[in-house]
Amino acid sequence: MSRTGRILAATVALSVSLSAITHASQVSLSVAMSNPVLKSDQKQTAFLKVGLEGFRMPVTTERVAVNVALVLDKSGSMNGRKIEEAKQAAIQAVRRLNANDIVSVVVYDSTVEVLVPATKLTDKDAVCKKIAQVQPGGRTALFAGVSKAAAELRKFIDRERVNRIILLSDGLANIGPSAPSELGSMGASLKKENISVTAMGLGLDYNEDLMVDLASSSGGNHVFIEDATQIAGFFAKEFNTVLSVVAQEVAVTIDVAAGVRPVRVFGNQAEIAGQKVLATLTQLYSGQEKFLVLEVEVPASPEGKARDIAKVSVAYDNMLTRSTDQLAGKASVNFSSSDEIVASSVNTEVLEAGVLLFANERNKAATILRDKGDINAARQLLIQNADYLKKYAADLGSVQLDAACNLNTLQSKNLDDVQWTRSRKAMRLEQYVIETQQSYGALPESTPSQTQASQTPQKQPAAPQPRR
Amino acid sequence: MRNKPLILLMLIVGLPLGGLTWLGVRVARDDEAALKQRFEEVFATQLYDIDGAVSRHFESNSIELRDTARQVKSAPDSIRALIRRTPQLRQVLVLDNVGSVLHPDSNSDLNLAEREFLHEAQELIRDRDLIHVSTGQSDSVQKKQQAEAALPTRGEESESLSAASGSSDEGWHVWYWGRGVHLIFWQRRDDGKVVGLFIERGRWMADLIAALPETVNRQHDGVSVATTARFRLVDSMGQSVYEWGEYEPPEESTPLTETAVSTPLTSWRLQAFVPDSLLAGASSGTAFQLASGIGAVACALIVLVTVFWREYSREVRQASQRVSFVNQVSHELKTPLTNIRMYADLLAVDLENLEESTGGKFADRLRVIVSESQRLSRLISNVLTFGRQQRDALILNPRPASADELVRRVIEQFAPTLSRLGFQTELKLDAGQPVMLDQDAVEQILVNLISNVEKYAADGKLLKIETCRDNSKLRIIVTDAGPGIPAAMQRAVFEPFVRVSSRLEDAAGTGIGLSIARELARFHGGDLTMMDCASGASFCVELPALEEVRDA
């Protein structure tokens, strides 16, 4: 029995590796199940991971050209260090670009000013000079600022460029549309034009839901910049990612086999209709992996039966070859009555991703609980989540899960009113970073203020204190 | 009394200035109102142009959407693909001719977004809004809506745009749900099916904003901007959706002018704000001109009045200097005259002691000297009295005295002259009882009256003096038979320096005699009046007849 199991496992592994054959200038696709061998004769759920890894851009080739709009908040609250740092960061970013790139700069307070209309960056000094002259004052017309920036980007919209709006704001949008849903609606529309918005929140007064919705709906990044001195650093990281794009408009289609039910795709805004799952990743970066995890419900099947789970096809714009490439992959499972075989077949990488995203969903639920004012329930959920992550971290020997466990534990201590403004921003950020595999922006664990937290007595004596 | 001319002059300056200011302020206010109206018109035109841009934006958008709507096929996957590749498209609703939903079909496998959408739009679908709109029945349909009652019915909005686009089988429909206006572009197919394209709310707002102007900061170009304004697009709740222009109006300020946005956003408004300083600034020009004009007039008037005042006061001063000079001279004359009279009197006594024959001729000549020196003395005392009166320095010194005796003494004084002129003197004296009188004053009054008779009524040859006393009044009436005083002059003769005739050949005189006499009489508590008489002139001196001093 164990022998047949091993053979089965080997075939599955082979099929996976075959589908993942890659090329030097091709995105590599990996499609895998968390458990290639499932327990027979029972209905169960499993994770399907679709991983896409951007190829390494050859050093010799010219990097991809970008079409970037910088949207800077110059409302009154930006006055002082914030605006100066922002201006410096923007100038430094512009200095990194070259004449193939298109840059526009939009500043807003109560109204919007298109400081630098979209133009090929042939005269950097003129652009930098204009940025340096920005004076803060007024309210926050965030929506209008992004609207105008999108219009600027559209002047030169091009499949061969990376189109990106980089928004820096420190305040609540108080002029014009200001609901997260409205910003999300705009973002969703921009994503279809291959424009993504990176939303950078500065300080503690911005609306993180609005910023996250804008970033997530448009497939951009999200950053929480606590201190103005960090702006330049984050701008540099953002440009690093923008300049390292190797693939765009990555359309992932998962055809789930009949009999298997697609339950949900974690985080990513995929649409599931019937057996078909569609998702679009805006960009893939050089040497970086982005993935989707689909939770599927597999019907009870007899031992020894092989079952196709899904076929995956991917189409994307290759920024190196300037062509639209297609990839395909599929996943299948076998069934065994032996717990041992089932256990030994576990794909740790897929399981790790699944657990991480599953815990992330619970983390979001904790935020919602806390928003309703139920601090205890939120704390309970976070501690539970930490325990869950801790268990898998130990089982899979995963550093990532261990870090997530620590994060949940830490968050459970920072739910009181005093810390909530900050910790909510941190929480929303971490959720977003995990969900989208954002390459930068996660807060260093040491940053959160722990002095307060350690003084707060924990109210769950029954729950074992997670190890720190 | 001395302030009277000053007050007069101030009025001369003040009244025209006040009038001018009032007039100016009115003109300025009218100017401001006119200016404000002009501004309103200018900005209303601008808003109209902006609204034109808005409607052009939606028109071109509807042309785009017409093509999109035509691409809608019945297969759900093709519709989903259309939604995926059309940025502004949020969802597509396909209805059959009676309003049943063909897509998204809740009986098929729907994705999450479609399920949410069906839930959201259930009321719209149930009420068959799109069917009514597309078949033009909307007027009869009164819908309950989350929108304001003041809004026009949705059907009108759809229809007006359909008419504009030249056909009645497509148009905009405005749907109020959740946070506000949602736009639906509908198209009716030949087979009666209605396709509704639900536009991403965030997108059409963003596109509209992108189609509107942005704030142009002209200060970067080194141009200082004097005329700034703020334009604002507000939604049906009055919330600002987008604004532009450098002027930052204070919160809660009211727009200078506003206008409704045309279809499909008829519940939204465009507003223009202008700083008060712009309106005031333009009229401050007129205000400045006005102020400077008034200032110039004021300066001119003040200069004029000052010159006038200085001239006037110099003359007054010179006059008073002259009076005081005359007074001093008169005073200086008094002492030698007194000596002359004294020695003349002594000479007369000496001559009496001489023998009659030789002395007679000398005595006559001496009498002339005495009478002429008396005349001169009277003249001087009149001048001095007048001077005192001008300085308000008259002092009375009443003592018990008999009026009759006073009259006799004065007559005696005049006797030589009167007899020389051939006067017949009639005395009818009936006031022998002493009363409180300032003898000098009364004597001066009488002297003035008698010397007038002597001077002006010599032709009548008659001088009649009556005295009488009744109860508390003493009357002395001096009557002559001369030419009298013309009726027109009767009041004026009491004014100083007035003479009935100024002809040189007439009798000499200063013209102050009657004036002084009356002043003295009044000062004494009485009066000097002219009495009616058939011929000649008759003056009556009326004085209080007090037995003794009552109050010290």
Side-chain angles (χ1 to χ4, degrees):
Chain A
M1 183 51 67
S2 69
R3 196 171 167 224
T4 45
R6 237 176 275 132
I7 290 162
L8 283 172
T11 39
V12 169
L14 185 66
S15 74
V16 166
S17 60
L18 277 175
S19 67
I21 284 173
T22 55
H23 201 266
S25 59
Q26 274 266 328
V27 167
S28 66
L29 168 71
S30 62
V31 182
M33 291 297 292
S34 53
N35 290 62
V37 181
L38 291 171
K39 190 90 162 77
S40 57
D41 303 317
Q42 66 179 58
K43 192 167 128 182
Q44 56 204 307
T45 61
F47 299 132
L48 169 72
K49 179 183 165 190
V50 178
L52 289 158
E53 190 176 341
F55 54 89
R56 293 224 170 261
M57 197 60 124
V59 191
T60 47
T61 43
E62 221 174 292
R63 69 155 170 81
V64 63
V66 296
N67 178 9
V68 182
L70 294 177
V71 185
L72 301 180
D73 184 340
K74 68 170 181 89
S75 61
S77 55
M78 286 290 287
N79 202 1
R81 264 262 302 289
K82 286 183 183 174
I83 193 76
E84 291 311 319
E85 295 282 350
K87 276 154 55 174
Q88 277 316 307
I91 288 169
Q92 280 174 29
V94 168
R95 295 258 174 231
R96 287 180 65 179
L97 302 177
N98 62 39
N100 284 331
D101 298 313
I102 288 159
V103 166
S104 44
V105 183
V106 174
V107 293
Y108 67 86
D109 43 38
S110 305
T111 68
V112 184
E113 187 188 339
V114 179
L115 200 62
V116 180
T119 171
K120 278 210 166 193
L121 190 58
T122 46
D123 189 355
K124 282 187 197 179
D125 289 339
V127 172
C128 294
K129 199 178 151 205
K130 283 202 166 173
I131 295 173
Q133 281 172 348
V134 170
Q135 293 295 324
R139 300 169 74 195
T140 308
L142 189 147
F143 185 94
V146 179
S147 301
K148 287 283 185 191
E152 289 304 314
L153 276 194
R154 249 173 243 136
K155 290 180 184 171
F156 288 90
I157 202 141
D158 182 349
R159 294 176 73 87
E160 313 212 325
R161 286 202 172 84
V162 178
N163 307 301
R164 180 74 56 112
I165 293 171
I166 298 171
L167 165 70
L168 174 73
S169 178
D170 78 328
L172 297 175
N174 50 22
I175 287 193
S178 58
S181 65
E182 287 167 321
L183 273 297
S185 163
M186 172 161 62
S189 159
L190 293 176
K191 187 180 180 181
K192 294 179 191 173
E193 292 174 286
N194 202 27
I195 296 173
S196 35
V197 184
T198 290
M200 298 187 166
L202 176 59
L204 293 176
D205 294 324
Y206 69 90
N207 179 343
E208 61 271 18
D209 288 341
L210 181 151
M211 296 297 251
V212 167
D213 277 16
L214 182 58
S216 113
S217 62
S218 65
N221 293 326
H222 169 56
V223 181
F224 168 27
I225 307 177
E226 221 176 334
D227 189 277
T229 52
Q230 303 169 302
I231 299 174
F234 279 117
F235 262 61
K237 284 175 185 160
E238 171 64 16
F239 273 81
N240 285 345
T241 64
V242 172
L243 297 177
S244 69
V245 168
V246 295
Q248 288 205 122
E249 289 192 84
V250 186
V252 180
T253 311
I254 307 173
D255 282 303
V256 181
V260 180
R261 188 172 74 88
V263 180
R264 58 175 162 177
V265 175
F266 289 115
N268 207 299
Q269 297 191 330
E271 59 176 74
I272 306 176
Q275 296 300 99
K276 198 170 230 172
V277 179
L278 290 170
T280 307
L281 300 172
T282 42
Q283 273 121 14
L284 292 177
Y285 306 109
S286 174
Q288 268 179 14
E289 192 196 33
K290 295 235 169 190
F291 55 81
L292 300 175
V293 174
L294 171 69
E295 189 179 1
V296 288
E297 189 184 79
V298 185
S301 306
E303 184 171 11
K305 179 181 160 75
R307 187 186 262 281
D308 278 345
I309 297 294
K311 283 188 188 130
V312 178
S313 63
V314 176
Y316 66 95
D317 279 353
N318 189 319
M319 300 302 280
L320 181 67
T321 61
R322 310 254 185 247
S323 57
T324 303
D325 291 352
Q326 309 274 348
L327 297 170
K330 62 170 191 155
S332 51
V333 285
N334 278 301
F335 295 88
S336 164
S337 58
S338 153
D339 286 340
E340 194 186 297
I341 293 171
V342 170
S344 66
S345 79
V346 163
N347 183 328
T348 53
E349 230 175 88
V350 177
L351 188 62
E352 185 185 30
V355 167
L356 193 64
L357 291 177
F358 181 78
N360 202 41
E361 292 300 309
R362 287 215 298 213
N363 192 285
K364 285 186 189 173
T367 307
I368 291 166
L369 281 176
R370 176 60 183 83
D371 286 343
K372 288 177 184 158
D374 199 343
I375 300 181
N376 278 334
R379 185 178 291 135
Q380 203 86 51
L381 188 57
L382 286 173
I383 290 168
Q384 244 179 57
N385 218 17
D387 290 344
Y388 169 79
L389 285 162
K390 192 174 152 192
K391 172 177 163 286
Y392 278 101
D395 287 357
L396 304 175
S398 163
V399 184
Q400 209 180 0
L401 294 186
D402 194 46
C405 161
N406 290 341
L407 199 61
N408 276 273
T409 310
L410 185 69
Q411 285 165 351
S412 74
K413 295 174 183 170
N414 285 317
L415 297 175
D416 293 317
D417 289 336
V418 213
Q419 309 111 334
W420 183 234
T421 309
R422 188 201 171 277
S423 40
R424 190 176 193 282
K425 288 181 169 57
M427 248 173 127
R428 295 289 277 134
L429 172 78
E430 299 291 356
Q431 288 157 8
Y432 190 72
V433 167
I434 290 171
E435 192 169 289
T436 61
Q437 300 95 49
Q438 186 172 306
S439 62
Y440 75 101
L443 293 173
E445 249 185 87
S446 54
T447 331
S449 51
Q450 293 167 26
T451 43
Q452 285 267 336
S454 57
Q455 285 160 10
T456 316
Q458 295 299 305
K459 282 175 189 164
Q460 293 85 26
Q465 282 292 303
R467 181 183 41 168
R468 290 234 61 239
Chain B
M1 260 298 127
R2 278 178 65 92
N3 287 337
K4 206 165 117 186
L6 195 66
I7 291 167
L8 204 70
L9 291 179
M10 282 166 85
L11 280 178
I12 290 173
V13 178
L15 280 178
L17 274 186
L20 208 63
T21 312
W22 178 77
L23 210 71
V25 166
R26 272 201 55 170
V27 167
R29 206 171 289 160
D30 287 357
D31 263 16
E32 204 177 311
L35 190 79
K36 190 169 181 235
Q37 201 185 347
R38 239 178 16 247
F39 265 103
E40 272 176 26
E41 282 163 13
V42 167
F43 281 98
T45 315
Q46 287 199 31
L47 291 184
Y48 181 79
D49 291 346
I50 294 162
D51 180 50
V54 172
S55 63
R56 277 195 301 282
H57 167 75
F58 279 111
E59 248 166 72
S60 68
N61 192 212
S62 64
I63 291 165
E64 232 172 86
L65 289 167
R66 179 185 304 162
D67 290 340
T68 311
R70 285 187 185 134
Q71 293 170 38
V72 173
K73 306 271 185 328
S74 53
D77 278 346
S78 110
I79 289 174
R80 284 171 196 149
L82 182 69
I83 292 172
R84 271 201 300 281
R85 67 170 185 267
T86 313
Q88 59 179 323
L89 204 50
R90 178 167 163 244
Q91 277 303 330
V92 174
L93 186 67
V94 183
L95 304 170
D96 66 11
N97 54 2
V98 292
S100 307
V101 180
L102 300 176
H103 176 89
D105 182 5
S106 52
N107 298 321
S108 71
D109 289 326
L110 295 182
N111 63 35
L112 186 66
E114 287 162 345
R115 283 200 296 272
E116 279 175 1
F117 169 70
L118 277 182
H119 179 72
E120 236 174 62
Q122 58 184 349
E123 217 172 295
L124 180 94
I125 293 164
R126 193 189 60 218
D127 295 343
R128 306 196 197 296
D129 282 5
L130 285 180
I131 297 298
H132 293 309
V133 166
S134 63
T135 53
Q137 306 167 359
S138 54
D139 287 353
S140 59
V141 187
Q142 291 300 317
K143 308 305 299 283
K144 51 176 167 43
Q145 290 189 354
Q146 283 136 310
E148 294 84 349
L151 297 174
T153 64
R154 294 176 277 168
E156 281 165 6
E157 292 170 74
S158 311
E159 274 172 58
S160 59
L161 199 76
S162 323
S165 61
S167 65
S168 59
D169 55 5
E170 63 186 21
W172 290 102
H173 182 68
V174 177
W175 175 42
Y176 295 91
W177 191 86
R179 285 188 66 85
V181 179
H182 291 253
L183 290 182
I184 305 168
F185 184 82
W186 59 266
Q187 190 175 63
R188 192 156 46 85
R189 298 264 171 88
D190 293 339
D191 56 6
K193 281 185 193 166
V194 175
V195 175
L197 304 182
F198 286 65
I199 314 301
E200 284 281 7
R201 180 171 147 79
R203 180 54 183 256
W204 64 254
M205 287 198 290
D207 283 352
L208 179 59
I209 287 169
L212 290 171
E214 67 250 6
T215 298
V216 180
N217 193 337
R218 278 161 290 184
Q219 275 159 356
H220 287 321
D221 305 331
V223 184
S224 73
V225 188
T227 53
T228 56
R230 170 65 55 92
F231 296 94
R232 189 179 282 173
L233 175 67
V234 297
D235 64 15
S236 48
M237 311 295 284
Q239 293 292 311
S240 166
V241 176
Y242 178 60
E243 40 195 83
W244 67 98
E246 275 159 296
Y247 167 56
E248 186 76 60
E251 278 182 51
E252 307 296 326
S253 58
T254 49
L256 176 72
T257 178
E258 61 178 333
T259 175
V261 180
S262 35
T263 48
L265 295 174
T266 43
S267 63
W268 288 23
R269 302 186 74 73
L270 280 163
Q271 301 178 328
F273 295 79
V274 173
D276 290 341
S277 63
L278 189 64
L279 298 176
S283 62
S284 79
T286 26
F288 178 74
Q289 281 167 11
L290 185 74
S292 54
I294 291 174
V297 171
C299 284
L301 279 174
I302 286 168
V303 166
L304 209 68
V305 161
T306 313
V307 168
F308 188 76
W309 174 249
R310 283 184 57 172
E311 283 298 309
Y312 170 80
S313 52
R314 196 170 69 198
E315 285 197 354
V316 166
R317 207 164 50 240
Q318 279 176 352
S320 76
Q321 275 168 358
R322 262 181 238 129
V323 167
S324 90
F325 171 74
V326 170
N327 267 330
Q328 271 167 11
V329 168
S330 306
H331 206 78
E332 290 300 310
L333 288 175
K334 246 174 92 175
T335 320
L337 191 60
T338 311
N339 284 341
I340 289 168
R341 279 182 63 185
M342 192 177 76
Y343 283 99
D345 284 345
L346 286 174
L347 191 58
V349 173
D350 289 348
L351 277 180
E352 267 170 35
N353 295 340
L354 286 178
E355 51 192 280
E356 293 293 313
S357 57
T358 51
K361 200 176 164 192
F362 294 127
D364 281 348
R365 291 188 175 156
L366 188 61
R367 220 170 287 133
V368 174
I369 292 171
V370 169
S371 97
E372 284 307 303
S373 59
Q374 276 175 349
R375 217 153 78 94
L376 187 57
S377 167
R378 283 197 301 271
L379 193 64
I380 287 167
S381 83
N382 262 354
V383 168
L384 289 176
T385 308
F386 182 72
R388 273 188 219 114
Q389 181 202 326
Q390 290 292 302
R391 297 198 304 273
D392 296 329
L394 278 178
I395 294 162
L396 286 184
N397 195 9
R399 292 224 178 113
S402 163
D404 290 358
E405 275 189 23
L406 252 169
V407 172
R408 278 192 202 101
R409 208 162 59 220
V410 174
I411 286 294
E412 200 177 316
Q413 219 183 99
F414 277 90
T417 324
L418 288 174
S419 64
R420 198 181 66 233
L421 290 169
F423 265 94
Q424 188 193 341
T425 311
E426 269 179 44
L427 296 180
K428 209 174 136 192
L429 305 177
D430 189 18
Q433 201 73 13
V435 290
M436 297 300 285
L437 290 174
D438 182 302
Q439 294 186 41
D440 290 340
V442 176
E443 189 181 327
Q444 203 175 352
I445 294 168
L446 287 173
V447 161
N448 279 334
L449 290 175
I450 293 169
S451 65
N452 273 355
V453 171
E454 176 207 332
K455 267 188 277 181
Y456 305 112
D459 295 349
K461 311 279 185 203
L462 177 70
L463 170 65
K464 200 166 102 185
I465 300 178
E466 294 164 75
T467 62
C468 62
R469 200 189 140 191
D470 60 335
N471 293 330
S472 58
K473 292 242 172 77
L474 172 71
R475 277 200 191 89
I476 305 170
I477 300 167
V478 178
T479 311
D480 65 59
I485 294 169
M489 294 291 287
Q490 285 188 1
R491 283 172 67 88
V493 288
F494 292 105
E495 297 297 315
F497 311 115
V498 171
R499 298 175 65 209
V500 173
S501 169
S502 311
R503 281 181 300 169
L504 278 175
E505 59 266 32
D506 284 353
T510 54
I512 59 170
L514 274 178
S515 158
I516 286 173
R518 170 179 262 193
E519 280 306 312
L520 285 171
R522 287 185 175 173
F523 199 63
H524 209 291
D527 203 358
L528 171 64
T529 52
M530 219 179 146
M531 293 176 70
D532 293 331
C533 58
S535 67
S538 179
F539 290 91
C540 172
V541 183
E542 210 176 61
L543 294 170
L546 301 173
E547 300 284 329
E548 56 188 58
V549 187
R550 272 187 208 153
D551 38 288

